[in-house]
Structures are given as C-alpha cells and as structure tokens.
Amino acid sequence: MLYVDICPDSKTNRNSHGYEGGYRQLQPSAYNINVGNATYSVNLDVNPWNIQNGKSGYAGIGVWDPQTNQYKATKDNLCHYYADSDGRQSAIIKIPYNMFNRDDLNGSTKMTMQNPNLGGNTKITISGASTGPYIPAIIAFVLASIAAISYYHKRKLVRHEHQ
C-alpha cells in the first residue's frame, strides 16, 4: 500500500491568513506516478468545490494505466479529504499496489509522483525495501531472550540464597 499526504499549500510567501496566494484547493486529478519504467495517472473521486470548511470525508480513487488502456476505480474509502476552518484542503490517499497492474512490484521498486498543476516538474521520489515482519520478529526475539536470561539469573540467585 502506498500512502500519500497531499496538501497544495506552499510553506513560503504566506499572506496574512498564513497561505500563499496560490492553491488552497485540493487537486483531484493529474497525479502521475512512475512505477519502475511505467507511468500511471491517479485521480481522486472528490469534487473540491463540495468540501465544506472544517469538514472531512472519504472518497474512492482511480488509476489509469495507459500501457494497457485500463482504468481501475475503487469506491473504497482510500482517499480521506478534509478542509480546515480557513478552507485549506488536503487529502491522504492510500493506493493498493495491485492497482498498478504489475507482478514485479515490491518494497524496493522506485516510484516518483508529480502533478503538473502543482509545481511543474517537482517530483516526490519513494524507494526502499520493506522490512516486512522481520524487524518486529527480531525485536520480540531480543526481548524474549532478555526476559529468559533475567528469569534464570533471578532463579539461580534465589536458589543460591536458600542454600
């Protein structure tokens, strides 16, 4: 699952309300995601004009694969959108890997995301390998080992004191 936090507000050149004069509304379309050597288009099933200040909601997403000319849409609540009391809108989207029509996708696949409507050539790059269940299993093993050593050490001390 790919999680993306989308916020069109710039952190520089803020006006008296704290916002740049540019985007305050969510951009629901034109997100391009490169996965390996393939490009996909991601759209949010939400109309930014219907988002009320101080409110939030959920919507589906859609992924278009131009290589296969397939569009996969979901009505699952994979997009959580919201607007603060000043009307600044943003969203967090979750994109299941199976929407990318790839068998070779794994935790080390490089992905880049951009929206030409929000900054031209600015891209977000995501890459790295998944730790899967290994890190929690190692931590559990270490904690269990420490507990076992402590238990046997205390038991040995108690036996030694009774002798």
Side-chain angles (χ1 to χ4, degrees):
M1 189 81 67
L2 174 64
Y3 294 86
V4 182
D5 186 358
I6 299 169
C7 180
D9 181 36
S10 173
K11 304 294 184 227
T12 59
N13 300 322
R14 294 175 180 257
N15 63 21
S16 63
H17 297 289
Y19 300 112
E20 183 179 340
Y23 286 104
R24 290 180 61 187
Q25 277 192 316
L26 183 65
Q27 287 290 309
S29 61
Y31 293 96
N32 298 318
I33 296 183
N34 294 328
V35 180
N37 59 358
T39 301
Y40 301 87
S41 180
V42 177
N43 299 308
L44 313 179
D45 189 20
V46 61
N47 182 343
W49 299 105
N50 292 339
I51 301 174
Q52 298 175 5
N53 293 0
K55 301 290 183 180
S56 69
Y58 293 90
I61 62 169
V63 175
W64 180 61
D65 181 355
Q67 291 83 15
T68 61
N69 203 25
Q70 289 183 322
Y71 186 78
K72 288 186 177 182
T74 176
K75 293 298 178 187
D76 294 339
N77 293 329
L78 299 178
C79 171
H80 178 216
Y81 59 87
Y82 45 93
D84 65 14
S85 59
D86 290 328
R88 179 176 153 251
Q89 300 173 353
S90 47
I92 297 174
I93 60 172
K94 298 183 270 185
I95 307 171
Y97 287 152
N98 64 3
M99 293 188 81
F100 293 122
N101 296 324
R102 295 182 62 111
D103 294 331
D104 62 341
L105 188 62
N106 59 49
S108 63
T109 302
K110 181 178 176 182
M111 298 181 195
T112 58
M113 181 177 182
Q114 81 176 104
N115 187 326
N117 296 332
L118 298 173
N121 292 326
T122 304
K123 294 181 180 181
I124 299 170
T125 302
I126 305 142
S127 64
S130 171
T131 60
Y134 304 113
I135 297 298
I138 291 170
I139 292 171
F141 176 75
V142 168
L143 292 175
S145 298
I146 291 170
I149 291 169
S150 296
Y151 172 76
Y152 287 115
H153 181 67
K154 286 180 183 178
R155 188 173 172 199
K156 186 177 178 182
L157 285 175
V158 168
R159 254 195 267 161
H160 183 67
E161 288 176 0
H162 287 352
Q163 289 180 356

